[in-house]
Amino acid sequence: MSKAKTHKFRAETQKVLNILTHSLYTNREIFLRELLSNASDALDKLRFLQSKGESIRDAGLPLEIRITVDKAAGVLQVADTGLGMTEQELIDNLGTIARSGSEQFLKDMDAEAPAPGGAERGGKNRGNGKDNGKGNGKDHGEDNGEKPAEAHADAAPGGGEAAEAHAGAPSGRSAVEIIGRFGIGFYSVFMAADTVEVISLPALAQGAQKAQGREGSEEGEGPRLWTSDGSGSFSVRALEGEEAAPYTRGTVIRAKIKDDAKEFLEKYRLEEIIRRHSNFLPFPIFLEGERVNTTPALWREPKFSITPEQYADFYKHLTYDGKPPLDVIHLSVDAPVQFNALLFLPDSGQDYFGARRDEWGPDLYVRRVLIKRADSDLLPQYLAFVKGVVDTEDLPLNISRETLQENLVLRKISQTAVRHVLGHLEKLAASDKEKYEAFWKLHGKYFKFGCNDYAHRDRVAPLLRFASSALEGDALTGLDGYLERARPGQKEIWHVAAPSAEAAKVNPHLDRFRRKGVEVLYLLEPMDELALETLGKYKDFAFKSVEQADAKSLEAYPDQPGQPGQEDAAPAAKPLTEEENAAFGRLVERMRSILGGRVTDIRVSDRLAGSPAVLVSPDGVSSSMEKLIRVMSKNDEPPKKILEINPDHPLLRALLRIHTAGPENPLLAEMVDSLFDNVQLLDGYLGDPYLMADRNLRLMDKAAAWYADLLKI
């Protein structure tokens, strides 16, 4: 057996390992993800060298990762057949942590107080081009006075899971902040292990090592054993004879698991971690001889080679949705930033305003390794319904793979993804109206929030859909469709807010619009009117509520008999005589005395045709907008409005006759109160439902008795 050489960790490495050893982490499973990511990178580098025609040791070995567990010994082993490391690389890469200023950074952390809320300290180290995780010397293969780091251990640029350091962390800082800053994912293994052995055999012969700029060993090219308990030193020795015989090309990591981390010796737990974080790595991962990552990274495959069934299977695997997706968006983008994405429009509605309001966004991957589940930074909230995966190779990382060092690349990915999603919806709306309407009915209540996206609102507006007075059933129209049906000279897009299409149809404000044949959009969701208010106008057509219409707004349009909603209209009443007009004025005064402070005024309406009365806001604010304002101000009292009455309606003519016969008739007061109850209900308010019900029952009793007397039954 060859003699082991003992080496001291660099000072900053000892400090980091001390923090790891004495820190409490909420999610230690991340260490396995880091080891698998490193193994995958080592295999990827070897595959690249093979493609260049390099002579590789053990050329017949498959490119794969194997995980085995020895429960009796408490050992977890992760082995790959990748690039491997020489003795010098083991010393350099596993004994030194990013020698480009890391020690100074740790000293600065010791000297500074903890930043509130986890804010970054030490500005000079935050963006110095070396220590910021993007260009931290060895961890990314840059020079910085050292040899290129192509070896296994520093292949992955991140490590660890965000958690507060329990002890040993300088200035109370989170230990993981130090780990991720220098891209030392390998060291996360000490979160779960007491001791770690790394056995590595380089894939290249010694001459090829030098040609690649990698240092070999003067003692031959057999496997080397790196051992450490993370306490301050490590040893390296050559394996010889029978001891070396079991090892082939690549790297084996043997972790002696801590007593409080025995869960990582259970197959089901390891499988769960692999499926969550590393399921789409491009190389087979075998756990106790059984392959775990069987689902391919479909987003990296050419679109023409993927069947609808494959898309559906992948979607179900990703979302656990029992239904196939409504539609698929498969992207491969090279500029302004490189990324692949596989996005889905679900065929089922979901609630992102309630308990799941923070659980949305595609999953973010970097080089097929999961970085963040449901990353809401990838898409704006009005696209919260979009499911899927975004994978990039350009994203710089900091701390753990869950914490992004720079957001510039992420913002570019988001901007590009939004444009592609909107473009896809535009094509869908133009080519498949039925499918687009299905999409809208499922997800339109979220998508309309895109009117607040000033960068894309001009593309969002044509994609909005509404029910309309011009359409039957559940049919929807876009704004362009409305403009095609607009009356000559029309400059407004008229709308009415209501809880349902049925409620909109009986809204008294629509009387004149039906008579004139002017189309009105039905705004059936609370957000609809706010969306249109935000847009302001569409192609020089102003959005306007029917409640804001006056007689002049529609007087240019002749009446259009036979329009929808006019079938049950009563025949036109005879004009009131001069004497009757005077009597009607006295009726209005009597109605004012009956209703008192419940209304601000009562006046004859010029907007009604088939309805007896309507409530009108004194300041021109629509009823739905007024409701929203009152909800925000926590005012649940019905607002006081102007009551407009229609003197040509049969009900008002009947009230006129009752008033003429006896102004103090109690029946008149009951009928005026009932009339007000009903118009208030149509306006969306109900003062006292018990009083209203009692009043209606009494009127029904009297009406039934009169009718029975009339028929003499």
Side-chain angles (χ1 to χ4, degrees), residues 277-455:
H277 298 289
S278 308
N279 200 45
F280 300 110
L281 287 176
F283 302 98
I285 302 174
F286 293 93
L287 175 59
E288 298 292 340
E290 180 181 348
R291 184 169 179 178
V292 179
N293 59 334
T294 56
T295 303
L298 213 60
W299 62 87
R300 294 219 174 198
E301 303 296 327
K303 285 186 281 189
F304 64 82
S305 67
I306 304 174
T307 65
E309 291 75 20
Q310 287 177 299
Y311 279 131
D313 289 343
F314 183 87
Y315 171 76
K316 293 176 182 178
H317 167 83
L318 185 71
T319 64
Y320 304 103
D321 191 345
K323 299 175 65 178
L326 181 68
D327 210 1
V328 180
I329 306 171
H330 194 161
L331 306 176
S332 182
V333 179
D334 293 323
V337 62
Q338 185 277 329
F339 70 93
N340 295 292
L342 186 53
L343 306 175
F344 301 94
L345 305 181
D347 195 17
S348 54
Q350 300 184 35
D351 181 13
Y352 292 102
F353 294 138
R356 300 187 61 194
R357 60 183 176 273
D358 297 324
E359 300 176 17
W360 53 272
D363 296 342
L364 175 63
Y365 284 74
V366 172
R367 294 178 289 278
R368 306 185 193 220
V369 177
L370 178 65
I371 305 305
K372 187 176 182 180
R373 186 79 68 188
D375 189 347
S376 57
D377 291 329
L378 289 171
L379 289 175
Q381 193 167 12
Y382 67 89
L383 297 177
F385 52 84
V386 176
K387 305 287 188 179
V389 171
V390 172
D391 187 9
T392 181
E393 308 229 359
D394 295 342
L395 196 63
L397 302 173
N398 183 35
I399 305 176
S400 68
R401 296 181 186 275
E402 279 76 8
T403 307
L404 304 178
Q405 169 198 340
E406 296 176 13
N407 286 326
L408 179 59
V409 172
L410 194 64
R411 286 198 298 270
K412 288 182 179 179
I413 292 174
S414 175
Q415 292 164 1
T416 306
V418 170
R419 289 196 296 270
H420 279 277
V421 171
L422 293 178
H424 183 86
L425 292 175
E426 289 166 348
K427 293 177 183 177
L428 186 63
S431 62
D432 194 335
K433 180 180 178 182
E434 183 178 347
K435 181 181 282 190
Y436 186 79
E437 287 198 2
F439 152 77
W440 184 263
K441 290 173 182 177
L442 288 169
H443 309 299
K445 62 182 177 181
Y446 304 107
F447 184 76
K448 63 191 65 171
F449 280 88
C451 295
N452 295 317
D453 183 354
Y454 292 94

Side-chain angles (χ1 to χ4, degrees), residues 139-200:
D139 290 306
H140 290 269
E142 295 181 0
D143 187 5
N144 290 333
E146 298 184 11
K147 300 236 175 355
E150 292 183 346
H152 169 85
D154 56 357
E161 178 77 3
E164 291 298 323
H166 181 262
S171 304
R173 297 293 295 273
S174 171
V176 75
E177 289 192 51
I178 308 171
I179 300 167
R181 175 163 292 276
F182 308 116
I184 52 175
F186 165 75
Y187 293 96
S188 63
V189 70
F190 285 103
M191 293 190 295
D194 286 321
T195 59
V196 177
E197 294 180 346
V198 179
I199 303 101
S200 196

